[in-house]
């Protein structure tokens, strides 16, 4: 079933979503997490938590995107993550809309069971999810096997309990083949 804290990232103000992201637990209730390669360089980015057929008041604009200096300097895959501050004309906080956000935690050790949920690229859609153990790292990147994931899953959080311990991104944009995904460490 959809996780209300996980949603889709839309570039260029369009209706076509290209990545996924998640609501973070924060003092202001207004932060999301996604992959840097999803939002770097685009000024008109929106996020919809829970997706489905979201009414206009559920669309949140990314006001400020925070990127690691390593990503800015050379698009270092070890820094392929972004935190963004969001708002909407109707006010309120995204965290109150979704009933809470995810805490940030350290990268998972091999064998940690994670749930990864996101949205395949397109218009609308239902969540795609895997629940599996992380594998040994490749070149220092946490990884997990899952053949069910599709384009548009970049930025999807790796969740343990109510903590994001990674996201699809990093090495090869998050995956070098269709059955293994990576996270920036």
């Amino acid at each position: 079933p959809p996780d209300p804290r996980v949603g889709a990232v839309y570039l260029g103000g369009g209706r076509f979503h290209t990545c996924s992201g998640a609501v973070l637990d924060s003092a202001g209730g207004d932060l999301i997490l996604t992959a840097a390669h999803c939002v770097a360089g685009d000024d008109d980015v929106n996020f919809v938590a829970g997706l489905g057929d979201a009414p206009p008041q559920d669309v949140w604009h990314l006001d400020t995107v925070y990127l690691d200096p390593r990503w800015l300097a050379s698009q270092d895959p070890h820094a392929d993550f972004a935190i963004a501050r969001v708002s909407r004309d109707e006010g309120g906080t995204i965290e109150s809309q979704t009933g809470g956000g995810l805490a940030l935690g350290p990268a998972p050790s091999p064998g940690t069971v994670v749930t990864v949920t996101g949205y395949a690229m397109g218009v609308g859609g239902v969540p795609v999810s895997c629940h599996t153990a992380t594998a040994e790292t490749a070149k220092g990147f946490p990884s997990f096997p899952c053949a069910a994931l599709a384009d548009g899953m970049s930025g999807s959080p790796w969740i343990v309990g109510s903590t994001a311990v990674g996201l699809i991104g990093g090495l090869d944009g998050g995956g070098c083949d269709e059955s293994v995904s990576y996270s920036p460490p």
Side-chain angles (χ1 to χ4, degrees):
D3 182 332
R5 302 167 299 182
V6 177
V9 175
Y10 296 78
L11 301 178
R15 293 183 25 91
F16 188 81
H17 54 84
T18 57
C19 287
S20 298
V23 177
L24 292 177
D25 182 34
S26 65
D30 60 352
L31 298 179
I32 68 161
L33 173 71
T34 190
H37 73 262
C38 291
V39 295
D42 198 322
D43 291 335
D44 191 10
V45 182
N46 293 310
F47 178 76
V48 176
L51 198 55
D53 293 321
Q57 65 268 22
D58 289 346
V59 176
W60 297 83
H61 185 263
L62 276 64
D63 298 324
T64 307
V65 176
Y66 303 98
L67 299 167
D68 187 289
R70 297 171 295 167
W71 180 264
L72 293 170
S74 64
Q75 295 186 345
D76 182 345
H78 289 91
D80 187 7
F81 52 86
I83 294 177
R85 188 170 309 279
V86 299
S87 68
R88 63 181 178 181
D89 291 340
E90 290 78 13
T93 67
I94 193 165
E95 198 171 341
S96 64
Q97 176 198 346
T98 61
L102 299 168
L104 282 177
S109 57
T112 302
V113 176
V114 298
T115 300
V116 179
T117 302
Y119 290 89
M121 188 180 300
V123 176
V126 296
V128 177
S129 186
C130 273
H131 183 76
T132 189
T134 58
E136 293 293 324
T137 61
K139 300 180 185 177
F141 293 86
S143 65
F144 72 90
C146 181
L149 303 183
D151 287 342
M153 298 290 291
S154 289
S156 297
W158 296 19
I159 302 172
V160 175
S162 60
T163 303
V165 297
L167 60 83
I168 294 180
L171 184 64
D172 295 324
C176 63
D177 64 46
E178 295 185 19
S179 63
V180 178
S181 292
Y182 301 99
S183 175

